[in-house]
Amino acid sequence: MKLEKYKSDSQVNFFFINSHQTRLFNKRDLIYKVGDKISELYVILDGEVESLINKKSKGTIKTLKKGSVLGLMDTILNREYSKNMVAKSKVSLAIIDKKRFVEKLYSNPFQFSLIKSLAIDVDIEKPNIWS
Amino acid sequence: MKKIFFHKEVILKRGHFSKSFIIVTTGKAIVLDSLGRNIKKEIFQYQSFGLVDVLKENRWKNTIVSENKSEILFISRDVLVKNIFSNRPFASITLNLLKMAN
């Protein structure tokens, strides 16, 4: 069973369907910071976002582009935001309510446990990269 | 499929295709380094190993052995894919996570 056939539809649709609002950020605006309690996830609709470990960090860990989901890893692993997310350019983000997202996750406990195991593996393989 | 392994018995062998990922149901498993001499990582009870490799259809990079007696649950790729991709929300989340693993 190849994964490719699932990619085009599923990858984007679910997150957009669950979003009811968008928000604009100007260049260098802080989207969220390390340690903040998660209330929302964000999908990049347009523009770029930089992921930084802390405010003083000079090196960018990641530059995230259209389609990336901010806060996904932190939500699945049930932790606070683990990175600072800063708008690298003017950015348009779709907002996903964390509570609704988590309800969907927990709707099937076995599937959720597989997703969580996958998230843990990814987080171990690439520590300190994803938020 | 559940299987019992005895001390130092090989659970997964380096170089073999990853057809199933594992969950340690009792005991402990050890991930060896590429030379098979040193311990790279320990897998404790209720922890899983190999999900990403199974989804990517990789070969195992490391050999995994049992420490003392252990019971291991093997979940095949077919079962994993069938469950994760059975609905769009979970398929979408999985694909996002796999993108992060690359």
Side-chain angles (χ1 to χ4, degrees):
Chain A
M1 208 183 289
K2 293 286 177 188
L3 298 182
E4 278 69 28
K5 72 171 190 160
Y6 296 99
K7 278 188 181 168
S8 54
D9 255 355
S10 303
Q11 193 155 7
V12 164
N13 283 351
F14 163 65
F15 288 103
F16 290 156
I17 284 165
N18 276 273
S19 170
H20 295 286
Q21 51 176 309
T22 59
R23 201 173 291 161
L24 283 172
F25 290 85
N26 290 316
K27 189 177 174 178
R28 286 191 225 105
D29 278 353
L30 180 70
I31 298 162
Y32 59 74
K33 64 183 199 299
V34 173
D36 279 354
K37 223 173 167 183
I38 300 180
S39 57
E40 294 169 333
L41 288 83
Y42 306 89
V43 183
I44 302 175
L45 299 173
D46 196 33
E48 292 183 342
V49 172
E50 277 182 321
S51 167
L52 306 162
I53 298 175
N54 52 47
K55 278 185 188 172
K56 293 175 189 171
S57 176
K58 287 176 187 169
T60 303
I61 303 171
K62 269 276 172 236
T63 297
L64 303 167
K65 299 184 182 185
K66 182 177 172 177
S68 294
V69 184
L70 313 181
L72 177 63
M73 188 66 89
D74 294 334
T75 303
I76 294 171
L77 297 180
N78 197 25
R79 60 190 187 198
E80 290 153 352
Y81 288 128
S82 58
K83 304 283 174 293
N84 288 327
M85 290 290 181
V86 176
K88 194 176 177 182
S89 64
K90 211 160 191 168
V91 159
S92 171
L93 302 177
I95 314 293
I96 301 163
D97 179 61
K98 182 208 169 183
K99 202 176 164 192
R100 289 184 65 199
F101 179 76
V102 166
E103 274 168 9
K104 213 90 199 175
L105 271 185
Y106 290 167
S107 61
N108 188 315
F110 178 62
Q111 285 176 342
F112 173 61
S113 68
L114 292 176
I115 296 278
K116 189 165 180 180
S117 296
L118 180 59
I120 291 170
D121 279 1
V122 172
D123 200 46
I124 289 171
E125 220 169 291
K126 310 243 174 186
N128 259 334
I129 299 285
W130 296 104
S131 170
Chain B
M1 177 188 85
K2 261 191 198 176
K3 200 179 168 193
I4 290 177
F5 291 85
F6 295 99
H7 186 56
K8 290 191 184 175
E9 200 178 344
V10 173
I11 300 167
L12 298 172
K13 200 165 161 69
R14 177 178 147 86
H16 284 201
F17 274 112
S18 52
K19 292 178 186 171
S20 304
F21 76 97
I22 62 167
I23 299 173
V24 175
T25 47
T26 54
K28 189 163 86 169
I30 306 284
V31 181
L32 301 175
D33 65 9
S34 54
L35 295 173
R37 286 180 202 156
N38 300 312
I39 295 171
K40 191 177 170 188
K41 188 184 154 176
E42 293 173 311
I43 311 168
F44 297 97
Q45 191 180 26
Y46 307 131
Q47 287 183 340
S48 66
F49 181 87
L51 258 157
V52 174
D53 289 312
V54 164
L55 284 170
K56 288 183 177 182
E57 296 183 283
N58 291 336
R59 289 180 187 261
W60 295 117
K61 295 184 201 78
N62 305 90
T63 293
I64 299 174
V65 298
S66 176
E67 181 171 283
N68 300 319
K69 192 175 168 184
S70 66
E71 185 185 69
I72 308 291
L73 175 66
F74 290 79
I75 298 181
S76 72
R77 188 174 189 273
D78 283 347
V79 168
L80 175 62
V81 169
K82 198 175 161 183
N83 273 278
I84 282 183
F85 293 98
S86 61
N87 65 57
R88 280 204 171 157
F90 285 97
S92 183
I93 294 166
T94 301
L95 289 168
N96 271 280
L97 290 172
L98 282 177
K99 201 168 76 170
M100 293 177 190
N102 284 331

